[in-house]
Amino acid sequence: MHIQMNKLWIKIALPIVVLALGVAGMSLINATAQQQEEKEDTDTRPTVSIDEASAEDYQVMITSFGEVRPLEMTQLSAQVSGEVVDWHQDFVAGGVVPRGTTLFSIDKQRYEAALLQAEAELNQAQAQLIEEQARARVAAQEAKSMADSQVTDLYLRKPQLLSAEAAVKSAEAKLKLAKRDLAYCQVKAPYDALVISRDIGLGQFVSQGAQVAELYNIETAEITLPIAGFDSTFLPTPLAGTQVTVTSRGINTFSRQGVIDRDLGVVEKSTRMSQLIARIQDPYSLHSQAPVFKFGSYVEVSLAGQTLQQVFRLPQDLVTNRTVWLVDKDMQLQPVKVDVLREEGKYFLINDGLSEGDRVLTTVPEYPQKGMKVKLAKDDPKLVAQNAEAE
């Protein structure tokens, strides 16, 4: 009875086991085939992005830095001596005064008296000249009835006339000096000026030629710009008169326009740089509402250089050892040597080695090799379509 039950169980279980093994075998075969198919369909080419090279005319921008300095600095002196009787309220350190402003005044009574005396001397000399001219006319009239041998220069009063004329000229010169000295009693600003220092006060006696103040000219400021050799090649021609942008950077950044005035004509020995001079007008904005550029400020100056014809501009990270990677029509990498004309910010300007329409690799694989097969990123449908047409 027990034996018959075992046989019955075997008859029932065996077909089930065989069926299960068959199903498992088929599943394993299908999975293996699918893995092989997937393995065969897997594309191992690196995914890259490209951009078409396009030549353009490029305006070079040259940037340098320098300090704002006055065009001229004056050690102001008194031209006459005397007591200081008045000074302008802005004639203090830090004061700004327009051209022609009377900075201070010297007691002028002595110089007014000298002027009156010079005028009197001139009147007297002119009177003497009139008398001598009259005597000379009388002598000339009388000489007409005399023999030529008796008529001399002394008889015609020529020496006396010359002496009287000289006296008039001397008196005129003294009058001119007296007027000048009187005018010098009022010391005026020779230009729009920033007062740096003042060394006089009311009641103080100043001597002729004594230094009384220091002034900076604020009508024009100059900036000395060092230019490196790799920039000097691209400077515009002619240079003088070239417009520049002067920028002061800080918490508040602002700019003004200026011009290149001249080239100093020498190369600085320690840095081997050329020196240009830029100018800006009215730096302290005495006659405008423009931002103020104080003397001593460190500023950035940029100017347009030469225009480069038909150059290629590429990011610097795409150029390694003057080599650029291209993708050819067969979707293979090809290295090309290029001539880097200039570095401009984050870019290189290239004038040789590339052609219009070259497909430049913009995402370089970790280990690029010549002839390496690549595929394009699918997020660039335009380039993918071009690649499809090429294939």
Side-chain angles (χ1 to χ4, degrees):
M1 184 69 178
H2 184 269
I3 294 174
Q4 290 178 349
M5 289 295 293
N6 287 339
K7 289 181 178 181
L8 180 60
W9 182 85
I10 291 172
K11 289 180 180 181
I12 295 173
L14 184 59
I16 295 174
V17 172
V18 172
L19 181 61
L21 290 175
V23 171
M26 289 298 295
S27 299
L28 181 61
I29 292 172
N30 289 335
T32 302
Q34 185 175 358
Q35 289 178 357
Q36 291 178 347
E37 183 178 355
E38 290 178 355
K39 185 176 181 180
E40 291 176 357
D41 293 341
T42 300
D43 190 349
T44 59
R45 294 178 299 172
T47 301
V48 299
S49 297
I50 62 175
D51 196 5
E52 288 188 357
S54 179
E56 59 180 309
D57 293 342
Y58 188 82
Q59 176 75 69
V60 173
M61 294 302 297
I62 298 173
T63 301
S64 185
F65 299 86
E67 180 183 345
V68 180
R69 299 182 60 83
L71 173 64
E72 56 185 326
M73 299 172 283
T74 300
Q75 305 295 329
L76 190 66
S77 300
Q79 297 297 309
V80 294
S81 59
E83 180 186 349
V84 177
V85 295
D86 184 32
W87 55 268
H88 194 276
Q89 62 181 1
D90 293 328
F91 186 44
V92 292
V96 174
V97 291
R99 175 191 288 261
T101 300
T102 299
L103 301 178
F104 66 96
S105 300
I106 293 175
D107 183 17
K108 58 185 179 181
Q109 293 184 22
R110 182 175 54 156
Y111 300 100
E112 289 174 336
L115 177 60
L116 292 175
Q117 183 177 358
E119 289 174 343
E121 291 179 359
L122 177 58
N123 290 335
Q124 185 177 2
Q126 288 174 337
Q128 291 176 350
L129 175 60
I130 293 172
E131 289 180 4
E132 287 299 331
Q133 288 173 339
R135 290 174 183 155
R137 285 194 297 269
V138 171
Q141 188 68 29
E142 293 177 349
K144 292 180 181 180
S145 60
M146 298 173 60
D148 292 341
S149 59
Q150 295 178 334
V151 179
T152 63
D153 288 345
L154 185 60
Y155 182 81
L156 295 175
R157 305 192 64 82
K158 289 184 178 181
Q160 294 87 336
L161 185 60
L162 290 175
S163 178
E165 290 175 345
V168 170
K169 289 183 179 179
S170 177
E172 288 176 341
K174 290 182 179 179
L175 177 62
K176 186 175 182 179
L177 291 176
K179 289 180 178 179
R180 183 204 65 178
D181 289 345
L182 181 60
Y184 282 165
C185 288
Q186 288 188 322
V187 180
K188 300 180 182 296
Y191 40 66
D192 294 342
L194 171 68
V195 181
I196 302 302
S197 63
R198 178 178 64 91
D199 301 321
I200 58 171
L202 287 178
Q204 180 177 341
F205 183 89
V206 295
S207 301
Q208 182 179 8
Q211 180 180 328
V212 296
E214 183 176 10
L215 306 179
Y216 283 0
N217 186 337
I218 61 172
E219 293 179 352
T220 305
E222 289 193 338
I223 307 165
T224 301
L225 305 175
I227 303 294
F230 56 80
D231 277 334
S232 60
T233 305
F234 301 98
L235 288 173
T237 304
L239 184 60
T242 300
Q243 294 288 323
V244 299
T245 300
V246 183
T247 303
S248 175
R249 301 193 181 277
I251 298 177
N252 296 317
T253 298
F254 48 86
S255 300
R256 288 182 64 172
Q257 297 301 306
V259 296
I260 296 295
D261 180 70
R262 64 192 183 278
D263 185 339
L264 290 183
V266 295
V267 176
E268 210 280 326
K269 291 183 179 180
S270 60
T271 62
R272 310 309 302 169
M273 290 186 176
S274 302
Q275 306 286 322
L276 302 183
I277 300 296
R279 284 185 176 182
I280 54 176
Q281 300 299 319
D282 192 21
Y284 278 72
S285 301
L286 189 61
H287 305 290
S288 70
Q289 298 299 318
V292 173
F293 279 79
K294 293 183 179 180
F295 295 138
S297 300
Y298 195 66
V299 295
E300 173 185 305
V301 181
S302 58
L303 66 148
Q306 298 180 10
T307 298
L308 305 180
Q309 305 294 325
Q310 295 298 290
V311 294
F312 298 89
R313 189 164 66 105
L314 294 183
Q316 291 190 24
D317 55 2
L318 301 185
V319 184
T320 304
N321 296 327
R322 297 186 179 272
T323 299
V324 174
W325 288 93
L326 304 181
V327 177
D328 63 18
K329 63 180 181 179
D330 298 323
M331 295 304 297
Q332 296 180 351
L333 297 186
Q334 301 296 338
V336 294
K337 287 291 184 180
V338 296
D339 181 18
V340 177
L341 186 62
R342 176 178 171 80
E343 177 183 341
E344 190 88 354
K346 297 181 180 179
Y347 296 89
F348 282 139
L349 301 181
I350 297 170
N351 67 336
D352 191 27
L354 292 178
S355 299
E356 188 75 18
D358 279 348
R359 301 197 297 180
V360 179
L361 199 64
T362 57
T363 54
V364 183
E366 186 174 1
Y367 300 106
Q369 299 292 328
K370 182 178 181 180
M372 175 185 288
K373 287 279 188 178
V374 295
K375 61 181 178 180
L376 297 181
K378 294 182 179 180
D379 58 355
D380 194 342
K382 177 181 177 182
L383 297 177
V384 171
Q386 293 176 352
N387 179 52
E389 292 176 1
E391 293 178 348

